[in-house]
Amino acid sequence: MDESTVARGKAIHRRAERDYRWEGVECLPYKEDDRALFKAVSRQILFSDPDLAGELRYFEVQPGGFSSLERHEHMHGVLILRGRGHCLVGNAVRAVETYDLVTVPAWTWHQFRATSDEPLGFLCMVNATRDKPHLPGEADLAELRADGEIAAFLRDGSE
Ligand code: MN
């Protein structure tokens, strides 16, 4: 992790900059996991403090892009900050828009997709110490695709 995102015991004030950037925060490629397929996603770690045992990140999915389809033991709290899109959480595909809040429980398949005309940006709260995501195997994908709505959601190149 970037030194500037860790400031134990110190107050942080990161001023907002243009285009969903924050002062002193590096904009990183999404690639947290080399095995996972994703498209056109960046991440910024807004803060990470050991005393809170959590991290707040901002992800941005470019038009037509998507986060990786995964599940894991740790959960997510997600607040949409920019744009619109759809998310798969468990066996439900949901249309999401700015300021919507979505939680992803433990061991639940999830993926976020931007609409084709604008970026989808969201804050994601997560445990600082967390397990590695599991990716779907053929059997998992077949099970997900058995639902027509999920099949349509996954159609453009998510796996
Ligand atoms: Mn996840």
Side-chain angles (χ1 to χ4, degrees), residues 70 72 74 76 110:
E70 61 180 34
H72 36 64
H74 61 274
H76 293 308
H110 57 282

Side-chain angles (χ1 to χ4, degrees), residues 4-7 10-14 46-49:
S4 68
T5 61
V6 179
K10 287 187 184 170
I12 293 174
H13 176 193
R14 298 195 188 287
L46 302 182
F47 92 102
S48 177
D49 188 318

Side-chain angles (χ1 to χ4, degrees), residues 138-156:
E138 280 310 312
D140 300 309
L141 288 170
E143 198 175 312
L144 286 165
R145 285 203 208 91
D147 180 307
E149 196 180 9
I150 297 175
F153 173 86
L154 295 175
R155 195 151 292 146
D156 41 319

Side-chain angles (χ1 to χ4, degrees), residues 100-116:
D100 283 2
L101 177 74
V102 178
T103 64
V104 178
W107 295 117
T108 305
W109 292 117
H110 57 282
Q111 184 176 58
F112 288 80
R113 288 174 171 263
T115 51
S116 59

Side-chain angles (χ1 to χ4, degrees), residues 32-82:
E32 292 183 285
D33 185 335
D34 286 341
R35 305 162 304 155
L37 183 66
F38 60 91
K39 184 180 170 191
V41 187
S42 66
R43 71 188 158 103
Q44 297 177 68
I45 302 169
L46 302 182
F47 92 102
S48 177
D49 188 318
D51 288 338
L52 196 57
E55 292 183 356
L56 185 66
R57 303 93 53 84
Y58 175 73
F59 292 93
E60 198 164 272
V61 184
Q62 291 307 300
F66 49 84
S67 64
S68 56
L69 176 59
E70 61 180 34
R71 67 177 175 175
H72 36 64
E73 205 218 331
H74 61 274
M75 71 170 291
H76 293 308
V78 172
L79 181 74
I80 309 297
L81 210 53
R82 177 181 194 182

